[in-house]
């Protein structure tokens, strides 16, 4: 009977991580996952014991098992960023939970995203938290800042009586107008 062994690239991983399992001691291998071959890649959702049956050239069979423990990743979420800004829009406060993490990507000013200082273009903000178990949770938000280099001039102020009307003209050069 062959002496089958399994080596794991890691036996304790954060949720979502991939582990390489490598069997030795036989000629061919059948894993409990249904896969065959000496090496397999697994991404367990929870702690799980993987088994392998190895067969020697002479047809003798041996088995081995290894457990991969899965650690929880912190749930992270961010809020407060609009999907689209004009460069002249007011800054937005970006909040994130749980506390204790850090922001990266597009810069924030005291927790505020300022489209004017960020400038036109696509911007991504990340928030990352590392749990006590060493697992990392990350969330990201993305926004598009649109350059605003035109001003709208509607003319002089006008006083109207209830039965009078006036035509306002914002001029050309804009895709959409909101009144």
């Amino acid at each position: 009977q062959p002496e089958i062994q399994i080596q794991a690239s890691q036996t304790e991983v954060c949720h979502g991580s991939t582990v390489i399992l490598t069997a030795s001691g036989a000629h061919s291998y059948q894993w409990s996952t249904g896969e065959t071959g000496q090496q397999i890649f697994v991404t367990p959702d929870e702690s799980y014991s993987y088994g392998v049956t190895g067969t020697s050239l002479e047809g003798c069979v041996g088995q081995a098992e290894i457990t991969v423990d899965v650690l929880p990743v912190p749930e992270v979420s961010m809020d407060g960023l609009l999907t689209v800004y004009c460069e002249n829009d007011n800054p937005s406060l970006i909040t994130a939970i749980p506390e204790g993490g850090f922001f990266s990507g597009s810069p924030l000013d005291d927790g505020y995203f300022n489209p004017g200082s960020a400038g036109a273009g696509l911007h991504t903000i990340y928030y990352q938290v590392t749990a006590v178990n060493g697992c990392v949770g990350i969330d990201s938000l993305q926004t598009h800042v649109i350059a605003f280099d035109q001003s709208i001039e509607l003319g002089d102020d006008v006083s109207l009586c209830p039965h009078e009307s006036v035509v306002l003209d914002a001029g050309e050069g804009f895709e959409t107008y909101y009144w």
Side-chain angles (χ1 to χ4, degrees):
Q1 166 173 330
E3 186 177 321
I4 308 300
Q5 295 180 349
I6 302 174
Q7 287 192 337
S9 57
Q10 299 175 29
T11 56
E12 190 174 82
V13 296
C14 298
H15 184 267
S17 297
T18 298
V19 177
I20 303 168
L21 300 178
T22 306
S24 61
H27 176 70
S28 62
Y29 303 93
Q30 175 73 43
W31 294 87
S32 58
T33 61
E35 296 171 86
T36 59
Q38 186 175 12
Q39 190 174 76
I40 63 170
F41 296 81
V42 295
T43 308
D45 287 326
E46 58 189 7
S47 295
Y48 190 78
S49 292
Y50 294 91
V52 67
T53 300
T55 305
S56 69
L57 286 173
E58 297 80 26
C60 298
V61 174
Q63 295 181 333
E65 187 175 281
I66 193 167
T67 299
V68 177
D69 292 319
V70 177
L71 303 172
V73 172
E75 290 186 32
V76 178
S77 67
M78 291 180 6
D79 194 27
L81 191 68
L82 302 177
T83 55
V84 176
Y85 289 91
C86 288
E87 277 185 310
N88 63 342
D89 283 344
N90 290 327
S92 295
L93 177 63
I94 309 303
T95 59
I97 55 173
E99 292 182 3
F102 66 91
F103 291 97
S104 62
S106 293
L108 299 180
D109 300 324
D110 290 328
Y112 285 85
F113 175 77
N114 187 335
S117 61
L122 201 58
H123 299 277
T124 305
I125 298 172
Y126 301 91
Y127 183 69
Q128 178 175 319
V129 174
T130 303
V132 175
N133 64 14
C135 294
V136 176
I138 300 174
D139 192 17
S140 66
L141 294 175
Q142 194 170 57
T143 189
H144 184 217
V145 177
I146 299 169
F148 191 76
D149 54 4
Q150 293 180 311
S151 61
I152 299 173
E153 184 61 49
L154 297 177
D156 296 332
D157 291 345
V158 176
S159 297
L160 298 175
C161 292
H163 62 282
E164 296 179 319
S165 65
V166 67
V167 175
L168 299 175
D169 183 2
E172 295 182 17
F174 298 97
E175 188 175 311
T176 306
Y177 297 85
Y178 295 99
W179 296 94

